[in-house]
């Protein structure tokens, strides 16, 4: 089945976002099973080859931003989608509550430092978007401060993209019921209990506020050079399929080439 995942799931620049209209159960007609599994394996193999080319060409970096509510599957996406890529050439940076040093700088300071170098794929597990999400929901800074950040983020991302950093942003969209189910699994399964935190349960009460903050971030900051994708993520297999397809579609569109050899291989002499 030829699905253009990027086109189907992108937030068009300037488009208003109402998350209630994006179904977290959607699978774009795909079904769980052998065929889909084979397709994912093919897509991951393609990703491995494209990363090799990105690394060899050394001209562009790829920055992947992962956002989503607690239990949306950020860690799982990294584990499954990046499983096949060469660790040399890939960085993963989780962003937590800012340290005192980070908090003493502008909100983009720690982000800019973690941007991947040319040739690399960098994955952000949470990102500068927390500064218009958790910060907004909990009034950690006044409204006139966070409300200016959308523009600052767009300018920052534009600067990166003009300097050969390709940016992809994924919002992993789950329903409130699915989040509850996943929290219950974490409680029931001893090997998952370590993942539960009190804050997960406290944050659940702010679901509507988070959705409103996400809607604004997705609408205001989906641009030509740094698009947001809304990934229906209730079904983990579809989430992995969609994310891996969008990454490979993007890398293919970059028309990368292997650099010319620095030596004339015919002239090489054995000693
Ligand atoms: P986790 O990703 O589950 O390990 O949790 C990281 C926590 O850090 C989450 O509760 C985030 O909301 C929080 N966090 C990340 N960035 C920021 C930020 N800029 N300001 C405040 N809290 C943040
Ligand atoms: Mg968590």
């Amino acid at each position: 089945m030829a699905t253009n995942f990027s086109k189907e799931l992108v937030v068009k620049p300037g488009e208003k976002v109402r998350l209630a209209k994006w179904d977290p159960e959607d699978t774009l007609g795909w079904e769980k099973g052998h065929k889909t599994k084979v397709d994912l394996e093919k897509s991951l193999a393609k990703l491995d080859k494209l990363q090799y080319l990105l690394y060899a060409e050394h001209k562009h970096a790829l920055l992947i931003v992962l956002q989503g509510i607690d239990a949306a599957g950020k860690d799982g996406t990294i584990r499954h989608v990046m499983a096949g890529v060469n660790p040399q050439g890939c960085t993963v940076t989780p962003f937590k509550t800012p340290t005192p040093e980070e908090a003493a700088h502008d909100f983009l300071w720690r982000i800019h430092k973690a941007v991947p170098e040319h040739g690399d794929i960098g994955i952000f597990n949470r990102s500068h978007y927390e500064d218009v999400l958790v910060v907004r929901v909990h009034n950690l800074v006044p409204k006139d401060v966070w409300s200016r950040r959308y523009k600052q983020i767009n300018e920052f991302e534009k600067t990166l993209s003009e300097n050969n950093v390709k940016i992809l942003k994924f919002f992993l969209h789950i329903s409130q019921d699915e989040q509850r189910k996943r929290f219950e699994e974490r409680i029931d399964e001893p090997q998952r209990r370590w993942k539960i935190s009190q804050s997960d349960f406290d944050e659940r009460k702010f679901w509507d506020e988070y959705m409103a903050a996400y809607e604004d971030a997705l609408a205001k900051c989906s641009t030509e050079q740094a698009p947001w994708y809304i990934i229906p993520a209730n079904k983990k297999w579809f989430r992995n399929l969609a994310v891996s397809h969008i990454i490979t579609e993007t890398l293919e569109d970059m028309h990368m080439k292997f650099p010319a050899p620095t030596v004339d291989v015919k002239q090489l002499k054995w000693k």
Side-chain angles (χ1 to χ4, degrees):
M1 184 163 42
T3 306
N4 186 328
F5 288 82
S6 309
K7 214 169 142 202
E8 297 280 345
L9 301 174
V10 74
V11 176
K12 294 183 197 80
E15 182 184 3
K16 236 183 146 244
V17 177
R18 293 257 294 105
L19 283 170
K21 292 198 175 148
W22 293 73
D23 181 7
E25 294 277 343
D26 197 6
T27 62
L28 300 179
W30 287 74
E31 283 167 20
K32 191 176 178 174
H34 181 68
K35 261 173 111 171
T36 299
K37 213 171 143 217
V38 170
D39 183 275
L40 176 64
E41 279 163 16
K42 272 196 202 152
S43 170
L44 294 180
K46 213 190 259 180
L47 176 57
D48 184 36
K49 285 202 176 117
L50 286 161
Q51 186 213 12
Y52 182 69
L53 183 53
L54 180 83
Y55 191 78
E57 192 190 44
H58 226 271
K59 209 166 125 190
H60 306 269
L62 178 68
L63 172 59
I64 298 169
V65 170
L66 285 177
Q67 284 287 162
I69 211 90
D70 294 308
K74 300 182 287 297
D75 297 320
T77 303
I78 296 171
R79 197 149 42 91
H80 286 100
V81 177
M82 305 317 286
V85 304
N86 183 353
Q88 177 163 286
C90 189
T91 55
V92 181
T93 313
F95 291 98
K96 313 273 181 188
T97 309
T99 63
E101 191 191 21
E102 289 169 349
H105 288 84
D106 70 89
F107 77 104
L108 292 168
W109 179 74
R110 64 175 183 163
I111 306 296
H112 206 161
K113 280 204 299 182
V115 169
E117 61 183 63
H118 294 163
D120 280 7
I121 297 179
I123 302 168
F124 286 178
N125 184 342
R126 302 186 190 268
S127 65
H128 42 305
Y129 283 94
E130 292 293 320
D131 292 279
V132 289
L133 294 165
V134 65
V135 167
R136 162 174 159 166
V137 169
H138 292 291
N139 302 306
L140 301 181
V141 300
K143 182 173 181 187
D144 70 306
V145 174
W146 62 252
S147 59
R148 269 181 281 154
R149 289 183 173 165
Y150 301 100
K151 185 168 159 264
Q152 292 164 358
I153 288 174
N154 287 341
E155 284 166 0
F156 169 68
E157 292 180 351
K158 187 161 185 274
T159 302
L160 293 184
S161 100
E162 287 174 358
N163 286 277
N164 286 358
V165 180
K166 187 83 202 161
I167 305 169
L168 294 176
K169 302 177 298 200
F170 297 110
F171 169 60
L172 306 181
H173 184 33
I174 59 166
S175 62
Q176 207 171 1
D177 283 347
E178 180 64 23
Q179 189 197 42
R180 189 190 180 90
K181 203 181 109 208
R182 292 185 187 182
F183 283 170
E184 281 167 358
E185 281 166 11
R186 289 182 185 181
I187 295 168
D188 291 345
E189 291 175 36
Q191 293 195 351
R192 291 202 192 188
R193 277 188 203 143
W194 68 273
K195 270 206 145 190
I196 310 170
S197 69
Q198 182 59 46
S199 90
D200 291 346
F201 287 81
D202 299 340
E203 292 305 280
R204 219 177 122 75
K205 297 187 204 106
F206 296 95
W207 183 273
D208 292 343
E209 287 85 346
Y210 269 108
M211 290 305 123
Y214 267 111
E215 286 176 347
D216 265 354
L218 295 165
K220 289 178 197 283
C221 298
S222 193
T223 58
E224 214 62 67
Q225 67 270 8
W228 268 112
Y229 296 92
I230 298 177
I231 306 296
N234 271 13
K235 297 191 164 69
K236 294 175 184 173
W237 63 266
F238 180 76
R239 172 201 76 198
N240 295 339
L241 186 77
V243 169
S244 86
H245 270 276
I246 294 171
I247 299 171
T248 51
E249 285 166 8
T250 303
L251 288 169
E252 276 175 342
D253 278 353
M254 285 160 62
H255 304 295
M256 298 178 286
K257 284 188 201 73
F258 285 105
T262 53
V263 291
D264 181 349
V265 285
K266 288 192 202 101
Q267 302 294 319
L268 283 177
K269 287 193 181 76
W270 297 100
K271 286 227 164 98

